[in-house]
Amino acid sequence: QTRAELLLDQYGRTGSLLPHNVVLVPLGDDFRYDKSIEFDQQYHNYMQIMQFINSGDYNAEVKFGTLKDYFHEVRNRLDKFPTLSGDFHVYSDIFSEGRPAYWSGYFFTRPYMKLLGRQVASKLKSVEIFYTLALAKAHREQHHLSVSALTTVYPKLVDSRRALALFQHHDAITGTSKEQVMNDYESRLDKAVLNLNEIERLVGQYLVQQDPTDIRLSNPLQHSNIRNKGEYDADAKPLNLAVGETKRLVLMNSEAFIVEKLASLMSVSQDLCVYDSSNTSIQLQVFPVHNTTKQSRLDTSVFQVYFVAILPPVSVSVYRVEECSGSRAANTQQQDQSDGQHHSPSKVTTVFCMRCPEGVKPIGSNVQLKNIPQGGIQLENRIYKLYFHPETKLLHSITNKIQGETHEVILEFGSYISQIFRSGAYLFSVENVDDIPTEDPVFTAADIEDVVIVSGPLYSELRVVWRVAGQRSPSTFVHSVRLTHDTGPLSEAVHIENLFDFGLLQNMNDKEMFMRFRTDIRNGGEGRRFYTDQAGLGMVERIHAEQPGLGLPGNLFPITESVYIEDAKTRLSLLVDHATGASSLKEGCLEVMVDKRTMHDDARGMGEGVLDSRLTRHRYTLMLEPRRGGGGDVEGASGQQPNKLRQDVAVGDIGGRGGGSGHVWADQGSSTTLPFLSTLGVILSRYLEHPVSLMLWTDGEGSELNDDSVELVTELPCGYELVNLRSWDPSRLLPLHKHNAAASSLPSALLIMRRLAPDCNWISLTTGDCAETGAEQFHFRNLNAVFRPVSLTGNFAVNLTLATPSSSYSSPPSTSPNTVSSLPTKQFSPMEILAFNVTFHTNQSNP
């Protein structure tokens, strides 16, 4: 009774502050319920207290419930219930003297760790998908050794999932743990990368070998780079081929659409010939490795070899690379096709350098060194013309050839001065004068150590190196801007890469670095509007607030994928490859935070400053997109207004655990406007997030490999995404020699798909007018799969009615009324995420 009345008194005090007198009381905190006995004890104790209160004369009812139960009870007691649209950013509390403190610092604390987490997530997705398909194929063909090998490595896949899940803790992904704790998170993620690489090599070996039963313990596949993104040159394994020697490259694309990406490998020789899976010689671009570790220099003893890879959806493709003499490489266009090889002409890459290593001369047959030209610098491709400031070497303006207009896009780097003890891992607070943040330059034109301009057949690039003197060591900043010369989506964007290293302590102390674009886009005066993504799920409008005390810290918002500003004619979009913070302090300005080094704790729990800033590669994709019709609502090719989202309205509700009303799709013809990336932006964000995995077959010439292994019949329509295909534990399956039609003996996986809502009001040469081309039915190739709707966790069945037209894909006899043999993707509603349990049956179907 004493404990019950004590709790009830506290609940009553809280309830008296609310008009509805309903109280939501969370039970537990960090690191609670880590043992089952603790949960059981808490549950049984609270049940006794609840039963005592509910049966007594206290005029109160206490029970366990969820957020849904809480709001249901509140709405029953109130006629009008105010709701908040959007989110709660930016969080705030107060300093001891009563000034507001804004929790926007963790948006960009420890970017290296945020990037590492994203790289593990990307690699995990790819490995999950190909592991599931390989396991299904091995079971179907009854490849005993392959199934055994895949089952053996499954615990490593689970460990990698758990390492990534653990890193989602609110003091891990935010970077707000002590340095030693962050080091432990990093070691777990690094181990996950190694485990995933091992599984990826095994799966790749199984899928591309002509004899898939020949699984080798000493796997001949090696990754060209540990993390797939070329994080450091030291990670790469240079290819060293003898004259006439041939090797195979294995490229894996986990996206459910055709991708056209710029792939690369490091080679000791620049005289290479690369042939795709159809035996066609493809264009290469060769560039000496640029080493900026101590002093900027071009290393002419090792080369980065680039080529454009066009890969089918969810596929493993095998390319052939061979060492060929300079004369042969330069004259492949003159050879006939009697050997069945289709050749493309080879073009020389011109490198303009401030520090040419061996003077101005040709380096082999593929590279020509020249001095930096005088005056301004300009890069150009079929979409953009970029102009750079002649002194700072930073971007100054962009001409979009589609729009036919030149826009001021001035790129700036700078830093804010941290307020001591008020800015740290959690908080963001900077010195200011009259509410205007105080800025310091990070580097100047006098700090430029090197400038390199690359002009080649596949891309053109400007690379600038700044070296800023420090007390113990210099700070190094490498910035590059690239335009590609292909005809795919990559050519419609400006690709920016920053390799920044603050150096040792005493450099950049109490500085918080930013990258800013100053443009002529009119996104509002006092009420400046910009749009940030919500964990990649959608976009939300942000309005810069001018209230006293807010300043920059109160107007900095988190982004994980993208941010953009726009006016009636133009949109400037910036895609990022890791989480950070973004703001628009002035009209036409778009600013993202880069990194920080704060020397003092901000008194929010970490107990130390952020002192472990480290070399980090930041990647961005910048798009300057013209609006259709110059801002008017003109009709597109399909007859619809292109800035409107035609939405298939879902009628009814999904029963969370089965039962309830069914879920029937009906095209109601309604439309609504949603802030979202353009179709081009959606595609390029996937390109940035999920790089192609490139591996080298090291055992001989690889003649025992197939040309490719394509796992989907056709690509998904525009605006759809295969989020994951996650295998269940294969050790629970019956042994193959006992295989029968029982469900427990069939491999299965959790398939998660989503349909996005791209904004079709922006012109693109490569994505058309937003027409949803692609398959209306989702099928796996050569696998007889059935799909059963489930909850996102895969734990509960869902009543989802999908109308599937008759097709040649035969369903197994065990198919229930709530399962289908193919997914009618175009019946999915925009902005919807759906999950299915996929069971792979052994009887063959007609692909």
Side-chain angles (χ1 to χ4, degrees), residues 626-637:
R627 186 187 294 268
R628 294 181 187 272
D633 289 341
V634 298
E635 291 199 357

Side-chain angles (χ1 to χ4, degrees), residues 345-415:
S346 176
K347 297 181 181 178
V348 174
T349 299
T350 303
V351 180
F352 301 90
C353 43
M354 182 183 291
R355 295 170 169 264
C356 293
E358 301 174 17
V360 180
K361 66 174 187 178
I363 304 296
S365 61
N366 297 307
V367 181
Q368 170 74 53
L369 300 183
K370 292 186 177 182
N371 289 323
I372 292 286
Q374 298 295 321
I377 299 172
Q378 174 181 312
L379 299 181
E380 184 175 0
N381 69 356
R382 68 191 188 106
I383 305 294
Y384 291 114
K385 185 180 291 185
L386 310 182
Y387 300 90
F388 297 85
H389 194 280
E391 293 184 9
T392 65
K393 311 302 182 186
L394 293 175
L395 184 64
H396 195 71
S397 66
I398 299 178
T399 298
N400 187 306
K401 296 181 180 180
I402 301 175
Q403 192 179 31
E405 295 183 2
T406 298
H407 291 271
E408 180 182 82
V409 182
I410 300 175
L411 176 58
E412 300 173 338
F413 292 98
S415 64

Side-chain angles (χ1 to χ4, degrees), residues 420-433:
I420 296 178
F421 300 115
R422 288 182 170 83
S423 194
Y426 292 94
L427 304 183
F428 183 37
S429 183
V430 300
E431 299 287 350
N432 60 81
V433 177

Side-chain angles (χ1 to χ4, degrees), residues 1-17 21 23 25 46 49 52-53 58-62:
Q1 179 178 354
T2 302
R3 291 181 179 273
E5 291 179 353
L6 177 63
L7 277 177
L8 194 58
D9 177 63
Q10 296 297 320
Y11 296 163
R13 291 171 186 264
T14 304
S16 66
L17 302 174
N21 207 30
V23 181
V25 182
Y46 268 101
I49 293 175
F52 181 82
I53 293 175
Y58 292 106
N59 195 29
E61 181 184 9
V62 184

Side-chain angles (χ1 to χ4, degrees), residues 567-623:
D567 59 19
K569 297 178 64 176
T570 308
R571 170 185 285 186
L572 184 79
S573 302
L574 185 70
L575 310 177
V576 300
D577 71 341
H578 65 276
T580 185
S583 63
S584 180
L585 291 182
K586 296 180 181 179
E587 184 177 41
C589 285
L590 180 60
E591 181 176 308
V592 292
M593 302 306 297
V594 176
D595 205 345
K596 68 172 67 174
R597 177 171 282 170
T598 52
M599 306 302 293
H600 303 89
D601 181 40
D602 55 12
R604 291 303 181 273
M606 197 171 85
E608 60 188 35
V610 183
L611 309 177
D612 54 346
S613 303
R614 59 197 297 183
L615 178 70
T616 305
R617 194 181 298 268
H618 311 259
R619 299 173 182 84
Y620 309 91
T621 301
L622 182 72
M623 297 175 293

